[in-house]
Amino acid sequence: MATIAFILLCHKDPQGIIDQANRLTAVGDYMAIHFDARANPADYDQIRAALKDNPRVTFARKRCKCGWGEWSLVEATLNAVEAAIDAFPRATHFYMLSGDCMAIKTAEYAHDFLDREEVDYCESFDFHTSGWIKTGIKEERLIYRHYLNERKHKFWFYKSLEWQKKLGLTREIPEDLQIMIGSQWWCLRRRTIEAILDFTKTRRDVMRFFRTTWIPDETFFQTLVRHLVPAKEIRSRTLTFLMFTDYGMPVTFYNDHYDLLLAQDFLFARKLSPEAHEVKRRLGQLYAARGVDFQISNEGRSLYKFLTGRGRIGRRFATRFWETESSLGRERELMIVICKKWHVAKRLVERIVEETGIHAIEYLFHEATTPLPDLGGIQSTLEKRTRHRRALMRMLFDYHQTDRMIVCMDPSGLDLMQDFCGDRSRTRLLEIECDFTDDYLVGHAKRVGLAGEQTARDTLERLLPTIRHDIAYESDRIRDSDFEHLGRIREGQTPAQNAVALADFLSVDAATAEKILSLPHLFTD
């Protein structure tokens, strides 16, 4: 009979991970956990302490700092797989999961399903001809080397790509491999996993190749399974039910989706809302049940496509996402850096990203050229971004797969700050107080259209006190709003003095905050 070793990659929700591990192992299965090294150490300690007496749970011996699209996700998976192979010699199948997945069938059903055929379940299509990639770069993922994360270092990521193209620095794909692509949520037999691990030790050339490809979690296992396993023993599908919106975002399931989920021809579903407590409770009880009959209709994708597509033919099924969504999510934390000197805020945020890995977006509500992913048009203009501010931020949290994000705002955006501070998410604010010389204010007047290159000096001198007053007034309005979590750093203070407010804002220690603030030209104009 099939016995599953679940390979769980996670970075948040320690209690959810503990519950999931206990639930899935209670019926005789196993679990190997990789908890992101970037995540809160206290969360990892909580998970280790809670599961230390569960002999059916093991942990990756080496933890990676994971980033979307990076090799680190594959490396983390391999580390967890190696731990599972060593710890669970009786495991017959290895099933890839995330912390957002839940079983939608019983363990009895899942084991019987895997026993029906001696096959691997791994979605894999030809990389070049299948059309699996809908947007973004395609062949460039493979033939150029990628050392930077596109989401963290967008400018340099594409600059590196541009330079490699100009210099003709293409590389050959290993000639004996047919590159495949597909979902990362696979279920593989033990002998397939062992063959992959052996391959990684003997084919260093292939490992070097994949280490610098872009988004290798969609190609690495998919390619090796096709390379090592006869085609007749592969089912090119995932056993995890997931759907994507028109914007390329995963569809989230809620409490009223219980019956729909059970009717799908899958063993697990991804992803469930953190607030869908009722459906999680019911699914959790279901996994250990016996003798349950499932009526498989498998209409989930077609039903979703029909309902969401009605707006395209003039019949609205429901209001749009951004017309109804009212919260970023209770478990999320939005950190707002407020500064009139945009270049100062951008320098500080760049340092924060380098030292903490927290994802940051610059003045998206004030600067039209701020780089943003394609979210279906909601991000296309400053007017749309501002009007659908909460929906936009929620979509950005989902897109970047994070629960903590920094954004920059101009002090004039008080209504934005008040709106986000009224959300159920945790919102923190950090105001940067800068000194303003007359020359800076003149430049500011020209940038915002209050003056031009030909404006007389005496006119500028009459204008400067008003501009200075307006800047002070914006700061006073922020203070008068009595925000609960508002910190402040000042240009005239030392890094050690400013570190207290920054440490509280980022939830880091004082030494890390002082290191971030040690940039010598932080306030330079």
Side-chain angles (χ1 to χ4, degrees):
M1 182 176 178
T3 304
I4 306 169
F6 294 102
I7 308 300
L8 181 66
L9 265 58
C10 49
H11 66 281
K12 61 180 180 179
D13 189 16
Q15 189 56 54
I17 299 305
I18 294 165
D19 294 342
Q20 189 180 40
N22 286 328
R23 182 168 55 245
L24 295 180
T25 59
V27 294
D29 290 321
Y30 305 100
M31 179 174 287
I33 298 174
H34 179 281
F35 194 75
D36 193 339
R38 291 188 189 276
N40 188 342
D43 290 347
Y44 182 61
D45 293 340
Q46 179 184 346
I47 295 170
R48 291 294 299 245
L51 298 176
K52 63 182 175 63
D53 295 325
N54 188 332
R56 293 182 173 272
V57 175
T58 191
F59 293 84
R61 287 183 286 272
K62 180 181 178 183
R63 294 166 60 208
C64 303
K65 292 183 177 180
C66 297
W68 185 89
E70 297 178 6
W71 169 255
S72 54
L73 288 175
V74 177
E75 185 177 11
T77 304
L78 289 172
N79 291 344
V81 165
E82 289 175 348
I85 281 284
D86 293 341
F88 311 129
R90 295 189 177 183
T92 62
H93 292 75
F94 294 75
Y95 196 120
M96 181 79 174
L97 286 180
S98 77
D100 294 322
C101 296
M102 286 285 292
I104 57 174
K105 298 291 187 293
T106 62
E108 180 182 56
Y109 181 98
H111 295 154
D112 289 344
F113 183 95
L114 295 177
D115 281 334
R116 291 176 199 167
E117 292 187 282
E118 185 63 22
V119 296
D120 296 304
Y121 295 91
C122 181
E123 187 178 76
S124 54
F125 304 98
D126 186 272
F127 183 93
H128 300 284
T129 64
S130 65
W132 197 85
I133 299 174
K134 303 300 183 185
T135 60
I137 61 175
K138 185 174 180 179
E139 187 181 25
E140 293 89 342
R141 292 191 188 189
L142 307 177
I143 63 173
Y144 297 109
R145 296 166 180 83
H146 301 279
Y147 299 101
L148 300 171
N149 188 297
E150 189 262 356
R151 291 185 173 179
K152 294 180 182 177
H153 309 286
K154 195 178 193 73
F155 174 83
W156 290 112
F157 178 92
Y158 288 105
K159 183 61 69 174
S160 170
L161 192 59
E162 177 186 333
W163 287 340
Q164 291 183 69
K165 288 180 178 180
K166 286 183 177 179
L167 295 172
L169 298 178
T170 58
R171 60 175 177 177
E172 295 295 327
I173 297 171
E175 61 181 12
D176 60 331
L177 291 185
Q178 178 185 6
I179 304 299
M180 310 297 288
I181 192 167
S183 167
Q184 69 183 105
W185 311 110
W186 40 254
C187 178
L188 305 177
R189 295 167 296 172
R190 185 181 192 91
R191 67 186 184 193
T192 301
I193 287 292
E194 290 174 341
I196 290 173
L197 293 179
D198 289 342
F199 186 92
T200 63
K201 296 171 184 175
T202 57
R203 290 296 301 273
R204 297 298 180 185
D205 59 322
V206 173
M207 298 298 283
R208 284 193 300 270
F209 171 77
F210 276 108
R211 280 182 184 277
T212 51
T213 59
W214 181 234
I215 320 182
D217 54 305
E218 293 180 351
T219 55
F220 179 79
F221 288 97
Q222 297 79 355
T223 298
L224 295 197
V225 168
R226 283 287 175 182
H227 183 73
L228 298 169
V229 177
K232 65 181 180 180
E233 296 180 20
I234 301 172
R235 298 292 176 265
S236 184
R237 58 161 295 188
T238 174
L239 297 181
T240 298
F241 179 56
L242 67 163
M243 297 188 295
F244 292 91
T245 68
D246 293 346
Y247 314 114
M249 308 299 296
V251 172
T252 301
F253 300 109
Y254 296 92
N255 288 331
D256 55 351
H257 288 132
Y258 179 81
D259 292 328
L260 180 142
L261 292 174
L262 264 59
Q264 307 312 306
D265 187 22
F266 296 86
L267 305 184
F268 282 76
R270 185 182 188 273
K271 63 184 192 173
L272 276 77
S273 167
E275 299 173 7
H277 303 298
E278 177 62 18
V279 72
K280 287 185 176 182
R281 181 190 65 80
R282 296 176 70 184
L283 291 175
Q285 295 174 344
L286 175 70
Y287 194 67
R290 301 186 66 85
V292 179
D293 291 326
F294 295 93
Q295 301 298 318
I296 305 298
S297 59
N298 215 32
E299 83 299 343
R301 289 193 173 100
S302 58
L303 180 62
Y304 178 82
K305 183 178 180 181
F306 169 73
L307 294 177
T308 58
R310 291 178 71 78
R312 312 298 194 274
I313 57 174
R315 290 179 294 159
R316 293 287 291 275
F317 167 70
T319 50
R320 294 298 188 214
F321 167 86
W322 49 80
E323 295 168 343
T324 60
E325 186 53 65
S326 61
S327 175
L328 308 186
R330 193 182 301 278
E331 301 303 318
R332 285 169 169 167
E333 185 174 15
L334 179 65
M335 293 171 282
I336 303 174
V337 174
I338 309 161
C339 188
K340 198 66 179 179
K341 291 186 176 180
W342 294 6
H343 59 279
V344 174
K346 291 177 181 181
R347 286 177 194 151
L348 178 63
V349 165
E350 183 177 3
R351 286 285 293 158
I352 291 173
V353 173
E354 289 175 357
E355 293 299 326
T356 67
I358 300 172
H359 191 84
I361 303 175
E362 295 173 356
Y363 287 84
L364 74 164
F365 295 110
H366 308 281
E367 195 171 27
T369 56
T370 300
L372 292 172
D374 185 356
L375 300 175
I378 190 175
Q379 84 298 334
S380 58
T381 66
L382 289 178
E383 181 184 1
K384 282 188 176 182
R385 296 178 199 174
T386 303
R387 186 190 315 139
H388 307 305
R389 60 194 68 164
R390 290 198 190 185
L392 174 63
M393 288 308 307
R394 186 180 182 104
M395 293 169 77
L396 287 169
F397 272 109
D398 289 339
Y399 180 86
H400 294 293
Q401 299 182 14
T402 183
D403 287 329
R404 302 186 77 204
M405 190 178 297
I406 298 172
V407 296
C408 298
M409 288 189 190
D410 189 276
S412 62
L414 180 63
D415 58 331
L416 293 166
M417 302 170 209
Q418 291 173 329
D419 192 17
F420 285 122
C421 286
D423 189 78
R424 286 181 295 173
S425 63
R426 296 186 297 273
T427 304
R428 296 179 180 273
L429 302 96
L430 180 72
E431 184 181 9
I432 306 175
E433 286 189 1
C434 300
D435 297 332
F436 298 95
T437 64
D438 285 351
D439 286 342
Y440 177 85
L441 293 180
V442 169
H444 172 73
K446 291 178 179 178
R447 285 191 294 273
V448 299
L450 295 176
E453 294 298 328
Q454 306 304 318
T455 303
R457 185 67 197 182
D458 59 339
T459 303
L460 289 172
E461 289 176 354
R462 290 195 299 270
L463 189 61
L464 291 183
T466 302
I467 297 175
R468 194 180 295 278
H469 178 269
D470 286 345
I471 292 175
Y473 176 68
E474 288 173 352
S475 182
D476 288 340
R477 290 178 67 210
I478 292 171
R479 295 187 186 190
D480 293 341
S481 295
D482 292 324
F483 292 120
E484 184 178 358
H485 301 291
L486 172 62
R488 189 171 287 105
I489 65 176
R490 297 176 174 86
E491 181 172 352
Q493 296 187 155
T494 65
Q497 292 172 317
N498 284 328
V500 176
L502 183 62
D504 182 66
F505 176 69
L506 297 174
S507 300
V508 299
D509 56 63
T512 301
E514 192 168 345
K515 184 178 180 182
I516 292 170
L517 291 165
S518 64
L519 192 67
H521 57 281
L522 176 61
F523 292 96
T524 303
D525 290 333

